Amino acid sequence: FMLTQPLSVSESPGKTVTISCTRSSGSIASNYVQWYQRRPGSAPITVIYEDSQKPSGVPDRFSGSIDSSSNSASLTISGLKTEDEADYYCQSYDSSSVVFGGGTKLTVL
Amino acid sequence: QVQLVQSGAEVKKPGASVKVSCKASGYTFTSYYIHWVRQAPGQGLEWLGIINPSGGNTTYAQKFQGRVTMTSETSTSTVYMELSSLRSEDTAVYYCAREHESYHFDYWGQGTLVTVSS
């Protein structure tokens, strides 16, 4: 299966942005979805795991959800800050493989 | 504290092999699976496979089967990823990552740049 994300999104500081991740086959609800933030030159860090759980240290401005009707997951970032500018990747799995979305470049301008 | 420390950058010629190491510390090495993920320049994250450090069982992504080998050494808490028959498209930063649960990668190595060039 594949996970499809928008190539890029942009929004102003203080606003809210939502990044989608659509699963091509199989139910989005069958396997957990993770979201990673990657800044240039750094390893990815988790911002959401198991669809909607937040690791300690991740601000409450970050939230995750899944929607079975559209077979997609979403990452929502509210109260945008310039430090949120990064690439965001969704990730899920099936019985034999791990799949990443193509990544979404978030610009906060 | 949990740490995954990878070996340094490599430059290889097409057709050669590369072996990248990932040394774990700060937790019980055999209790967590380790995955390998890479990112080529301008591309997204790509999964190569998984190894269970306890016993050495592996599963590889179909794309890399026959070219990738993952091994573990419990005496040094180190896992290795070897990629053979290198081509220019294998130029990428290679990461090891620890799986917490449900394929959630909670800790990542710092990355190892592998450059394939004649």
Side-chain angles (χ1 to χ4, degrees):
Chain A
F1 70 96
M2 296 190 306
L3 296 172
T4 301
Q5 300 180 232
L7 274 176
S8 64
V9 295
S10 61
E11 192 49 273
S12 304
K15 300 292 189 181
T16 297
V17 70
T18 297
I19 300 172
S20 62
C21 170
T22 302
R23 181 164 174 155
S24 62
S25 61
S27 171
I28 193 73
S30 296
N31 307 102
Y32 286 123
V33 175
Q34 275 71 237
W35 289 91
Y36 301 95
Q37 177 193 69
R38 188 174 184 281
R39 294 194 176 98
S42 298
I45 63 168
T46 308
V47 291
I48 295 290
Y49 68 98
E50 293 182 358
D51 297 341
S52 60
Q53 302 304 304
K54 263 192 305 290
S56 60
V58 172
D60 289 342
R61 304 183 293 105
F62 288 79
S63 63
S65 63
I66 63 168
D67 179 359
S68 294
S69 65
S70 59
N71 214 36
S72 65
S74 293
L75 171 69
T76 299
I77 310 171
S78 59
L80 276 169
K81 300 186 176 184
T82 54
E83 69 207 45
D84 299 330
E85 190 163 289
D87 294 329
Y88 291 85
Y89 294 87
C90 60
Q91 172 248 315
S92 191
Y93 54 94
D94 62 13
S95 59
S96 60
S97 67
V98 172
V99 176
F100 288 92
T104 298
K105 181 176 180 57
L106 170 62
T107 302
V108 182
L109 36 65
Chain B
Q1 70 283 20
V2 174
Q3 279 193 305
L4 299 174
V5 179
Q6 298 181 221
S7 49
E10 303 262 13
V11 180
K12 296 292 183 181
K13 293 195 182 302
S17 297
V18 68
K19 192 170 186 177
V20 180
S21 68
C22 170
K23 183 173 175 60
S25 62
Y27 70 97
T28 302
F29 176 66
T30 51
S31 295
Y32 295 85
Y33 297 163
I34 294 288
H35 296 252
W36 288 89
V37 176
R38 75 179 187 180
Q39 185 163 30
Q43 303 296 310
L45 298 171
E46 183 173 34
W47 181 74
L48 283 78
I50 175 178
I51 182 167
N52 179 356
S54 175
N57 290 345
T58 56
T59 299
Y60 303 136
Q62 193 169 12
K63 175 178 177 178
F64 299 102
Q65 283 186 10
R67 280 211 304 143
V68 71
T69 304
M70 297 176 188
T71 55
S72 68
E73 193 173 80
T74 53
S75 62
T76 60
S77 298
T78 302
V79 296
Y80 299 90
M81 186 283 300
E82 183 170 22
L83 190 62
S84 62
S85 302
L86 289 169
R87 33 211 189 230
S88 58
E89 310 90 89
D90 295 316
T91 294
V93 177
Y94 289 76
Y95 295 98
C96 60
R98 188 185 85 160
E99 177 187 335
H100 176 56
E101 288 180 347
S102 305
Y103 294 87
H104 165 213
F105 304 156
D106 62 347
Y107 287 93
W108 296 66
Q110 83 276 18
T112 297
L113 175 61
V114 175
T115 303
V116 183
S117 173
S118 55

